[in-house]
């Protein structure tokens, strides 16, 4: 029986069948639903996506793992919201990692940047916590849906020893108590991986009304079952997501949605840089020239560089 056709939900039958029908690549988000729709959640895995993004920034391991946690948290959160645009996480703080930005588009494109003081990081010892890396500061969560729509922004203090503690603090502060995230990150064989499993109580219209006490009991059980997923299971690229969800929740009538791919993709382009340069005055453009009479623009997100020279009329021309 398909309960929520808008989602394209399919009832779980057998794990073998699911593994075949819902084949996911290494980078995806899969939505699931339990208890006839009163609980929903996501399973997110980032393989090449997180490795590509983190590797571009040439980060020490601890910072690479923090950024992996940050990225997969942003991807998981974006997948729980209804919006058409860009969700951005931005931290500003007084630790060696003084700023981190990660954004996710509704099309599943991710990118990130980090401001890191490597000298200060070296004073922290072997495995500093996220708290030591970030220091005191805040996380801003922004949802931008274009110029015609109101922009949403929520801000929360950085707390706890892991980044996810700050995100849970945000949910608590914004009165969204009934959402839990479990995050796993890993670095093996020179490759970063990250995964997230979430569960959330949802207002469900059209279902069979059940007593609040029973609903609460269902929710508690689901959180315990979700918590029983190991980091290895969340991350394992050989364990099909539908099979894992069936393994965890088959007694709760789990239903899944076909996986949606995620990818590393920046939104920078030579054209955008050219537009910015064109908007400057002649004097400002001259001021941007380096010793080689070139204007070099480096994207802080994907590390692509765009090199311009000024033509005889003083207009920027892309040379590489
Ligand atoms: Zn870029």
């Amino acid at each position: 029986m398909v309960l929520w056709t808008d989602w394209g939900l399919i009832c779980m039958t057998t794990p073998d069948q699911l593994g075949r029908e819902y084949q996911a690549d290494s980078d995806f988000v899969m939505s699931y639903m339990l208890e006839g729709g009163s609980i929903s959640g996501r399973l997110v895995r980032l393989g090449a996506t997180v490795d590509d993004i983190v590797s571009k920034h040439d980060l020490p391991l601890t910072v690479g793992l923090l950024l992996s946690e940050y990225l997969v948290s942003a991807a998981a959160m974006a997948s729980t919201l209804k919006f058409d645009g860009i969700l951005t996480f931005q931290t500003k703080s007084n630790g060696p990692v003084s700023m981190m930005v990660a954004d996710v588009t509704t099309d599943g494109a991710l990118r990130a940047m980090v401001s890191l003081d490597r000298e200060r990081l070296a004073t922290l010892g072997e495995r500093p916590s996220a708290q030591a890396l970030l220091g005191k500061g805040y996380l801003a969560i922004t949802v931008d849906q274009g110029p015609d729509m109101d922009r949403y922004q929520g801000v929360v203090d950085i707390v706890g020893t892991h980044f996810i503690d700050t995100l849970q603090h945000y949910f608590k502060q914004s009165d969204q108590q009934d959402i839990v995230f479990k995050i796993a990150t890993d670095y093996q064989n020179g490759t970063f991986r990250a995964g997230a499993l979430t569960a959330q109580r949802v207002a469900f219209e059209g279902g069979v009304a059940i007593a609040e006490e029973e609903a609460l009991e269902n929710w508690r059980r689901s959180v315990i079952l979700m918590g029983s997923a190991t980091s290895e299971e969340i991350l394992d690229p050989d364990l099909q997501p539908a099979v894992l969800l069936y393994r965890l929740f088959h007694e709760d009538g789990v239903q899944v949605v076909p996986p949606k791919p995620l990818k590393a993709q920046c939104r920078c382009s030579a054209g955008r840089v050219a537009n910015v340069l064109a908007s400057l005055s002649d004097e400002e453009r001259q001021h941007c020239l380096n010793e080689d009479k070139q204007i070099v623009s480096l994207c802080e997100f994907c590390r692509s560089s765009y090199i311009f020279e000024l033509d005889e009329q003083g207009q920027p021309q892309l040379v590489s």
Side-chain angles (χ1 to χ4, degrees):
M1 182 174 65
V2 176
L3 280 175
W4 200 347
T5 47
D6 280 348
W7 265 35
L9 280 168
I10 305 294
C11 259
M12 291 281 190
T13 48
T14 68
D16 281 351
Q17 185 195 352
L18 286 163
R20 284 196 305 275
E21 288 187 6
Y22 293 99
Q23 285 283 340
D25 291 330
S26 65
D27 302 81
F28 65 85
V29 53
M30 177 177 269
S31 301
Y32 69 91
M33 194 181 278
L34 308 176
E35 304 290 354
S38 62
I39 296 164
S40 75
R42 307 288 183 269
L43 172 61
V44 183
R45 273 199 202 128
L46 297 177
T49 298
V50 78
D51 190 58
D52 183 40
I53 294 171
V54 175
S55 303
K56 283 206 168 95
H57 294 277
D58 187 25
L59 297 169
L61 178 59
T62 50
V63 183
L65 289 171
L66 173 64
L67 187 61
S68 302
E69 182 182 359
Y70 196 59
L71 273 160
V72 80
S73 301
M77 178 149 176
S79 71
T80 66
L81 299 174
K82 266 191 183 162
F83 70 101
D84 185 6
I86 302 162
L87 175 136
T88 304
F89 277 10
Q90 177 164 1
T91 61
K92 273 200 176 163
S93 54
N94 65 1
V97 179
S98 57
M99 184 164 80
M100 275 199 302
V101 182
D103 65 37
V104 189
T105 69
T106 22
D107 297 332
L110 280 87
R111 63 179 193 167
M113 60 153 289
V114 182
S115 290
L116 171 64
D117 183 333
R118 288 168 197 263
E119 281 180 21
R120 281 184 67 199
L121 177 68
T123 65
L124 293 183
E126 275 290 288
R127 297 293 294 256
S129 64
Q131 192 177 31
L133 292 168
L134 294 166
K136 285 190 167 38
Y138 66 84
L139 164 72
I141 299 174
T142 310
V143 177
D144 196 337
Q145 301 194 85
D148 300 331
M149 301 281 281
D150 284 341
R151 198 161 164 259
Y152 166 81
Q153 188 171 60
V155 179
V156 66
D157 287 339
I158 292 169
V159 296
T161 49
H162 297 278
F163 168 71
I164 194 63
D165 298 330
T166 296
L167 193 57
Q168 291 284 178
H169 181 52
Y170 164 79
F171 290 128
K172 201 171 171 187
Q173 185 184 280
S174 54
D175 245 355
Q176 299 172 63
Q177 307 273 4
D178 295 334
I179 181 164
V180 286
F181 276 53
K182 184 165 187 172
I183 304 288
T185 58
D186 189 25
Y187 179 74
Q188 268 185 32
N189 305 320
T191 307
F192 286 95
R193 288 184 302 166
L197 190 58
T198 76
Q200 182 177 14
R201 278 182 82 183
V202 290
F204 181 58
E205 291 168 14
V208 179
I210 56 172
E212 175 62 17
E213 204 170 305
E214 190 186 344
L216 201 58
E217 183 53 37
N218 288 343
W219 167 242
R220 286 186 185 132
R221 191 178 61 252
S222 303
V223 171
I224 291 168
L225 290 172
M226 191 195 111
S228 73
T230 65
S231 295
E232 288 73 22
E233 287 177 316
I234 294 173
L235 292 169
D236 184 358
D238 297 325
L239 176 57
Q240 281 297 318
V243 174
L244 172 57
L245 293 170
Y246 184 87
R247 187 186 284 175
L248 292 170
F249 302 117
H250 61 94
E251 288 179 2
D252 298 85
V254 62
Q255 299 173 283
V256 299
V257 174
K260 182 183 159 193
L262 298 170
K263 57 185 179 287
Q265 191 178 77
C266 195
R267 299 192 298 282
C268 69
S269 69
R272 285 185 180 215
V273 180
N275 285 341
V276 172
L277 293 175
S279 72
L280 301 177
S281 66
D282 282 342
E283 195 182 346
E284 286 168 325
R285 274 194 293 272
Q286 291 291 334
H287 196 67
C288 293
L289 291 170
N290 65 13
E291 294 167 347
D292 301 321
K293 296 280 176 203
Q294 291 180 326
I295 299 172
V296 180
S297 170
L298 175 70
C299 176
E300 297 283 352
F301 285 92
C302 69
R303 316 299 293 172
S304 296
S305 63
Y306 300 99
I307 302 175
F308 289 83
E309 288 178 355
L310 300 183
D311 62 18
E312 285 169 6
Q313 282 76 44
Q315 294 303 307
Q317 300 296 336
L318 183 72
V319 292
S320 79

